Amino acid sequence: MIRFIRWISGLAVLAAATLTTLFLLEVADPAASEDGDLVFRVHFTDGGGLESGAYVRHRGVVVGEVRTVELSPNLYGVVVEVAVRERYRAAVRERSRFWVVRPRFEGLARGVRGLDTLIRSPYLVFDTPQDGGPPLSPEVPVFGFDDPPGQGAVPDIGPPPQPGDLEFIVRFSRAHGLKNGAAVNYRDVAVGEVRQVDLTSDGRSVDVHLVIRQRYRDSVRRNSRFWVVRPALESGLFASNITARDLGSLLTGPSMSFDTPNGASQQPLAPKSIVAGWAERPEDAAENGGPVVSIPGVAGGRVLEPDIRARLELVEVSYVFVETDAFADDRYHYQGSGVVCGVSEDALVVLTARSLADGRYSVEDGIGAPEIEREVLRVRFSDGEVRDAKMFWYDRRGADIALLRVSGAVRPFEPPVFATGAPNWDDLRLVRFSLGEVNALRYQPIPPGTLAGGDEVRAFPSDYPLPLDSWLGAVTVDAEERVVAVLGRRAALEKRPALSVIERLPEEWRAPR
């Protein structure tokens, strides 16, 4: 009997080992690369723990793998190189949406998602809407979602801000579980929502971007107090006095609320301001001395009025193209900045450098005019929305300055103030796009005596310490915070960075529109 039991046990162990081996052989590398794979890049603001070799899934099926995860050249994003196996490449379209799967608690109503990544590494998932567009080409840049679409991803949050809505930032020491799309309540009425949750440039605080709808914006004053709504237990002297509060946030997840005390400042809060937030109700935190965050350089640590970076509607410009000739095809990908400056034919207009939007200006063939094909020009707004664009004007005298027309409906924006006359070249500052403000070099003074050249184009020295290649398209402002010039190249086919003055624009574009 004992021998029989041993025989059965050994057979069971052998069978288990065989099945395990077959399973490992089957799943060890379901996304192994093959010839004909579709290889492309997805841009994120955060890598979300992705590593090389992570799976890429579509409808629950492993269809590819992550090849590399690297910081973007300008260091304020992450570039993920993805390979989708040849037989699945038709599933990837230009409007496919990519996001990273990792554990997420979304309140009792939605539950916990991504639990499988507790025992395995995060992986990449994509879906393709019905109007997914043409098949994705490798040279087309893809911008990923920080959250699953429809579950807090920035492009899918409620209605976009409308003219008259109030947009500003509340700063906390930590995120306290807040997610994109969380409600903002005043007297138990939903008056707005959280649009974005970001780290500050120094990484020591968290900025929560809010929008308050126009009909409620008068409820927000300079002395309004904002806090995070989470479940709480309140106890008295005896156990029978324990009460629960804000249990509704167990179902919906943390939200935000605010009040406006009587007296003190009753001035309206300026758009793009930064307000010090409270991690709990102000009456609960009173014994701790007030706001949990202080803002450097502001008396009392309460409100920081916006500076020029906040008042300009800065965008990222991404331009991909292929230059063809008899010997080889060369692929180029340029990234830089621009600023929304007006409206043309019911479309937003972006001011930027021509070298960021025209391969014929920036690339030399060596034989004749370069042949440019498969151009993809896009702009990315500060809330993560990406749109196609097309250059419709450039300076015919050769300065590196251009205007783009952006597809889609007109968004609200603050028109820049353009300088007139000759600028003071010794008192200027560069301002560029930086998604989430994670790059501290978004705002850079130009030391006096740095620039050399004429009245309309001034070049930087070759040994200038700032890596200006990542600053192309940045605007330059003077002491009165007027836009003076655009950073580009000194001339066509040149690499030396230079400023081209706004006077090169057509006269009708130099006034706010």
Side-chain angles (χ1 to χ4, degrees):
M1 183 67 179
I2 295 176
R3 182 178 299 175
F4 177 77
I5 292 175
R6 288 177 177 173
W7 183 80
I8 291 295
S9 300
L11 183 62
V13 171
L14 179 61
T18 302
L19 290 174
T20 301
T21 301
L22 291 174
F23 175 79
L24 292 174
L25 288 174
E26 176 67 21
V27 305
D29 195 6
S33 297
E34 302 175 350
D35 293 338
D37 286 355
L38 173 64
V39 180
F40 56 97
R41 294 175 176 86
V42 184
H43 299 256
F44 290 96
T45 57
D46 187 285
L50 273 182
E51 297 178 349
S52 299
Y55 290 160
V56 178
R57 295 177 181 266
H58 179 60
R59 299 183 182 275
V61 177
V62 176
V63 299
E65 66 175 346
V66 172
R67 287 191 171 182
T68 61
V69 181
E70 300 176 344
L71 287 175
S72 60
N74 49 24
L75 303 181
Y76 63 84
V78 173
V79 180
V80 178
E81 186 176 79
V82 175
V84 172
R85 298 179 70 170
E86 182 177 16
R87 62 180 177 272
Y88 299 123
R89 63 186 298 161
V92 187
R93 322 294 286 189
E94 286 196 358
R95 297 191 184 94
S96 294
R97 304 177 295 185
F98 291 79
W99 67 94
V100 180
V101 174
R102 56 183 183 271
R104 305 171 189 268
F105 177 68
E106 300 175 351
L108 294 181
R110 295 180 181 176
V112 181
R113 301 176 185 270
L115 278 178
D116 56 331
T117 58
L118 290 174
I119 57 175
R120 67 174 69 179
S121 299
Y123 55 89
L124 198 61
V125 169
F126 73 93
D127 68 5
T128 301
Q130 189 171 4
D131 58 342
L136 183 69
S137 299
E139 64 271 11
V140 174
V142 179
F143 295 95
F145 287 70
D146 290 334
D147 294 288
Q151 300 170 18
V154 171
D156 291 334
I157 297 175
Q162 302 296 316
D165 290 350
L166 176 63
E167 297 181 72
F168 59 100
I169 292 171
V170 179
R171 181 164 293 173
F172 293 100
S173 58
R174 52 184 298 182
H176 299 291
L178 284 171
K179 300 293 184 183
N180 299 341
V184 180
N185 298 306
Y186 179 67
R187 300 182 184 273
D188 295 328
V189 175
V191 298
E193 68 266 351
V194 173
R195 299 294 298 180
Q196 197 168 355
V197 181
D198 289 320
L199 279 174
T200 56
S201 59
D202 58 12
R204 294 184 296 178
S205 303
V206 171
D207 280 349
V208 180
H209 300 247
L210 305 186
V211 59
I212 305 296
R213 298 304 169 188
Q214 181 181 15
R215 64 182 179 275
Y216 301 120
R217 67 178 293 162
D218 288 342
S219 62
V220 184
R221 321 301 287 183
R222 280 182 55 86
N223 62 325
S224 295
R225 304 178 298 184
F226 293 80
W227 66 90
V228 181
V229 177
R230 295 171 294 172
L233 293 177
E234 299 174 339
S235 61
L237 184 60
F238 303 101
S240 60
N241 292 333
I242 295 177
T243 58
R245 188 176 65 190
D246 296 330
L247 290 183
S249 59
L250 278 174
L251 297 175
T252 61
S255 60
M256 287 191 62
S257 189
F258 69 96
D259 66 8
T260 302
N262 294 326
S265 172
Q266 289 295 317
Q267 298 176 357
L269 184 70
K272 307 295 185 181
S273 293
I274 301 177
V275 180
W278 304 61
E280 53 190 340
R281 291 176 181 270
E283 55 266 30
D284 297 339
E287 61 186 41
N288 298 325
V292 296
V293 174
S294 62
I295 302 177
V298 180
R302 289 294 301 127
V303 176
L304 176 64
E305 295 290 0
D307 65 8
I308 184 64
R309 289 170 290 179
R311 288 196 292 273
L312 292 175
E313 181 64 39
L314 299 167
V315 298
E316 180 183 63
V317 179
S318 178
Y319 178 46
V320 176
F321 64 93
V322 175
E323 189 265 324
T324 63
D325 57 36
F327 303 100
D329 293 346
D330 296 318
R331 178 181 180 274
Y332 293 86
H333 184 189
Y334 294 152
Q335 282 183 293
S337 295
V339 62
V340 177
C341 65
V343 177
S344 171
E345 298 181 4
D346 294 325
L348 290 177
V349 173
V350 169
L351 170 66
T352 188
R354 182 182 174 186
S355 55
L356 283 175
D358 186 2
R360 298 160 189 81
Y361 181 87
S362 54
V363 174
E364 185 175 13
D365 186 282
I367 300 176
E371 296 184 16
I372 305 299
E373 298 181 355
R374 302 198 290 277
E375 294 178 280
V376 178
L377 179 60
R378 289 177 174 166
V379 299
R380 186 181 196 184
F381 294 89
S382 58
D383 62 3
E385 183 181 7
V386 179
R387 296 186 183 183
D388 293 327
K390 184 176 182 179
M391 184 177 69
F392 73 94
W393 176 91
Y394 61 86
D395 181 43
R396 302 291 178 176
R397 294 173 291 173
D400 194 359
I401 189 169
L403 294 173
L404 315 180
R405 190 175 285 122
V406 182
S407 65
V410 174
R411 296 164 45 114
F413 69 98
E414 188 76 21
V417 177
F418 290 139
T420 57
N424 178 4
W425 295 105
D426 289 331
D427 190 8
L428 298 176
R429 291 161 290 171
L430 284 171
V431 189
R432 77 166 184 189
F433 175 89
S434 181
L435 185 64
E437 295 193 32
V438 296
N439 190 324
L441 291 180
R442 185 186 177 201
Y443 192 57
Q444 179 72 24
I446 302 174
T450 298
L451 303 168
D455 292 335
E456 294 188 335
V457 177
R458 288 280 179 113
F460 285 82
S462 58
D463 59 351
Y464 190 68
L466 192 68
L468 292 176
D469 282 347
S470 62
W471 284 69
L472 289 179
V475 295
T476 309
V477 298
D478 61 15
E480 298 179 20
E481 299 186 340
R482 300 172 302 178
V483 176
V484 171
V486 175
L487 177 64
R489 304 298 186 185
R490 185 168 62 173
L493 308 181
E494 287 198 28
K495 298 298 183 183
R496 188 174 176 180
L499 298 177
S500 296
V501 297
I502 296 301
E503 291 290 321
R504 290 294 187 101
L505 286 175
E507 185 175 355
E508 64 268 23
W509 285 101
R510 287 183 236 144
R513 298 168 64 87

